[in-house]
Amino acid sequence: MIQGGIVGGTYGIDSSGGKNPVVYYYGKDQTKRVGENYTPAGSTNSRPAEFKTTADETYNGGKNDLLTITNGSAESDMDPKNPPNNSVIQLPAGRYHLTFQGYSDDALEKSFRVELRQIQSGRDDIIVTETPGYSTGPSPSRTEYLLSWPDFIVDGTEKLYFLFPASGRDKRSHFLRIEKVA
């Protein structure tokens, strides 16, 4: 017999009982979170993740148009040259828990990492970098990338993008989970 406490389930980091608004944005051309790989656009080795422009899943009052998603080519200060469409994200002012999870078809990537970057004049700021392990497991998901950033506070003016992986042209799938906490 178990007495006291909570067993199993996800109940929210903020003790909200899982009632914070949550949205999921899938990668380009995906109809599920992962497993439907797309070939990234752009002409350089550093290719930001591409997203659909509206959320694919919403929970607890999450808004399917929470993010403003624009084309990287419209950003003259963005470091990757010739970036793909739908790769720059902008959140409304607030505090969020972000989770980016992705898979790459490459087992031998030389820059195994995903980076959340903010567009700046000069060199873009790296907000956080996650370096995963990798495997020679079966395709389509040889390498998993998981970046989790709780309590990410924005004033609503920041323009962000995910380099995923930080370099490479291989097929990939991914999603971005956003929980609005304040």
Side-chain angles (χ1 to χ4, degrees), residues 22-175:
V22 173
V23 297
Y24 285 82
Y25 282 83
Y26 297 174
K28 171 180 126 177
D29 299 331
Q30 293 174 214
T31 61
K32 55 186 181 178
R33 291 184 192 174
V34 293
E36 297 174 322
N37 288 348
Y38 72 89
T39 300
S43 62
T44 63
N45 196 32
S46 296
R47 296 178 185 200
E50 298 170 75
F51 294 94
K52 291 182 177 180
T53 56
T54 57
D56 291 277
E57 297 177 54
T58 61
Y59 301 100
N60 304 324
K63 297 179 180 180
N64 71 350
D65 62 350
L66 173 71
L67 294 178
T68 300
I69 301 177
T70 58
N71 296 339
S73 59
E75 301 297 330
S76 61
D77 285 330
M78 191 170 180
D79 286 352
K81 299 305 173 207
N82 192 24
N85 294 337
N86 302 331
S87 59
V88 176
I89 63 173
Q90 195 167 6
L91 289 155
R95 182 169 59 97
Y96 302 89
H97 298 324
L98 302 180
T99 302
F100 177 91
Q101 185 168 2
Y103 297 87
S104 170
D105 195 25
D106 190 358
L108 300 170
E109 178 63 54
K110 67 179 179 180
S111 295
F112 274 117
R113 65 185 184 272
V114 60
E115 295 177 349
L116 175 59
R117 292 187 174 196
Q118 182 176 349
I119 298 172
Q120 300 286 319
S121 100
R123 188 176 172 111
D124 291 346
D125 285 350
I126 298 173
I127 295 173
V128 64
T129 297
E130 174 63 27
T131 305
Y134 67 93
S135 134
T136 57
S139 239
S141 53
R142 293 176 184 242
T143 304
E144 177 188 10
Y145 299 79
L146 181 61
L147 183 149
S148 181
W149 193 251
D151 296 315
F152 182 59
I153 299 171
V154 294
D155 64 18
T157 63
E158 299 88 345
K159 292 185 178 184
L160 310 162
Y161 62 96
F162 288 91
L163 277 186
F164 158 62
S167 66
R169 298 176 179 88
D170 295 296
K171 291 183 177 182
R172 67 207 45 198
S173 62
H174 59 84
F175 68 86

